[in-house]
Amino acid sequence: MINKRPTFSVVAPVYNEEQLIEEFCQRTSAALEPLGEPFEIVLVNDGSRDRSPELMREINRRDPRVKVVYFSKNFGHQLAITAGTDYAQGCAVVVIDSDLQDPPEVIPELIAKWREGYEVVYAVRAEREGETWFKTMTAALFYRLIIKITSVNIPVDTGDFRLMDRKVVDSLARIREHHRFMRGLSVWVGFKQAGVPYRRHARKAGDTKYPLRKMLKFALDGITSFSYLPLQLATYLGFITAAISMTFLIAVVIMRLLYTGNPTDSAFYGQASTLAMVLFLGAVQLVSIGIIGEYVGRIYDEVKGRPLYIVSDALGFDDEHKPYGLRTQE
Ligand code: UDP
Ligand code: MG
């Protein structure tokens, strides 16, 4: 078993990438072959609805180093990465997007750092090409915000493109939470970490599979899995509102006692200000309940304990090989 283990595994999630999958495998193999060590490419088909599944089957027939895990439906990018790392057998596992935004040619650089003794080597986007102004801005803001409010030091401007040592992959495999923010978890597990700068290219073909709705959910997963701050916000807001309204109350009493004119002329007469205050507080309370809801929903998902993903087929893995996700179910 041990001697069959490849030195490197490259894990890539695939969701409707029929135009790119062939080139991805070629370029990845071309980047790894000069190193002269055995490697495998683990593709995870995340319920693609185009020709990607058949194409991957073909590639596997031609080149058994390319293995494919088929999901029974679309489970999402983060779970596809999880499955890939569960199935990967290499001493070092590289996670990379299959849309060629992360150039496979950078992998040898990550490997060089790993050889220096680093156990997590993440690729840092020194430059981004072909992204919309909106995406670059929101991403930059998000990574800075998450560092401020969480206890893990997620490196700025990194994605999921990274190399992890076997020890790290095994530690990650023990984390079975559903709303996974992999780039945070791989920092949370600890170990010796280093970054390598690279240029993130524009997507070669096809469209992004991350519309704004998914991006927001992803950002929320990142924040809620590493921070209680949104929950504590209600407490802070409560204290602030209490302090303001106490001051206000005292002022009103004093002014009422001192005021001698017609009460309808008083600054505190009338319903508009009252209504505005009540509506404002109502809104704050609703938002606070919503925030609690985000956490409760996530707790509910964990408690149900469903499997993280369901595999309908796995191509190219030896029979005795059981991925971690399946091992724990027995
Ligand atoms: N992806 C996936 N499942 C999804 C969405 C995306 O496996 O539900 C894959 C996709 O094929 C790609 C990677 O995740 O390899 C990153 O997705 P994408 O390039 O669309 O995101 P972006 O780079 O635009 O943030
Ligand atoms: Mg992409």
Side-chain angles (χ1 to χ4, degrees), residues 9-267:
S9 301
V10 176
V11 166
V14 178
Y15 181 50
N16 300 342
E17 307 284 8
E18 58 183 6
Q19 291 160 287
L20 295 173
I21 195 66
E22 185 80 50
E23 183 183 343
F24 171 79
C25 292
Q26 267 170 18
R27 275 176 58 183
T28 307
S29 305
L32 288 174
E33 269 157 11
L35 300 176
E37 298 207 41
F39 66 88
E40 63 176 2
I41 300 178
V42 180
L43 302 173
V44 183
N45 175 45
D46 188 10
S48 301
R49 284 183 301 255
D50 62 356
R51 286 179 50 243
S52 319
E54 294 90 74
L55 290 177
M56 288 189 267
R57 207 170 277 277
E58 244 170 66
I59 299 173
N60 164 264
R61 249 199 304 270
R62 259 187 285 133
D63 183 353
R65 292 175 304 187
V66 179
K67 305 168 183 180
V68 195
V69 179
Y70 288 90
F71 275 2
S72 61
K73 61 159 197 176
N74 179 259
F75 280 95
H77 179 207
Q78 299 290 299
L79 292 173
I81 294 176
T82 307
T85 50
D86 284 345
Y87 274 80
Q89 288 171 293
C91 306
V93 177
V94 177
V95 173
I96 184 170
D97 283 354
S98 61
D99 63 355
L100 295 169
Q101 277 197 281
D102 305 327
E105 292 73 27
V106 178
I107 297 177
E109 290 175 42
L110 303 183
I111 291 173
K113 264 271 185 268
W114 173 65
R115 293 218 193 275
E116 282 175 31
Y118 292 98
E119 289 149 320
V120 178
V121 185
Y122 46 85
V124 186
R125 301 160 180 168
E127 263 177 74
R128 291 185 109 172
E129 282 172 7
E131 298 277 25
T132 59
W133 170 86
F134 181 73
K135 182 140 186 171
T136 320
M137 263 287 289
T138 45
L141 263 175
F142 172 67
Y143 287 111
R144 278 151 190 87
L145 172 79
I146 202 157
I147 289 174
K148 278 257 165 352
I149 69 173
T150 61
S151 45
V152 281
N153 252 335
I154 300 170
V156 175
D157 300 330
T158 62
D160 288 311
F161 185 17
R162 61 189 60 214
L163 176 148
M164 294 176 286
D165 185 80
R166 172 56 33 197
K167 278 185 270 180
V168 180
V169 175
D170 286 346
S171 317
L172 267 180
R174 289 172 50 207
I175 304 176
R176 302 314 280 178
E177 62 188 57
H178 285 70
H179 296 271
R180 310 168 78 74
F181 190 63
M182 294 296 280
R183 49 196 82 166
L185 290 175
S186 65
V187 174
W188 180 85
V189 291
F191 296 103
K192 273 178 77 183
Q193 315 229 347
V196 169
Y198 80 110
R199 225 166 100 208
R200 187 161 161 97
H201 293 260
R203 194 176 234 289
K204 271 222 111 167
D207 295 320
T208 172
K209 276 73 192 185
Y210 262 97
L212 186 64
R213 175 180 49 84
K214 272 200 204 167
M215 253 164 63
L216 276 177
K217 191 189 157 288
F218 184 57
L220 266 178
D221 280 342
I223 293 171
T224 52
S225 21
F226 291 103
S227 170
Y228 299 131
L229 188 78
L231 282 175
Q232 293 160 337
L233 230 51
T235 322
Y236 299 141
L237 272 176
F239 276 118
I240 295 170
T241 319
I244 295 173
S245 49
M246 269 317 271
T247 324
F248 193 59
L249 190 73
I250 294 167
V252 171
V253 170
I254 293 173
M255 287 173 92
R256 272 307 260 181
L257 289 177
L258 301 180
Y259 195 70
T260 49
N262 184 349
T264 51
D265 296 337
S266 152

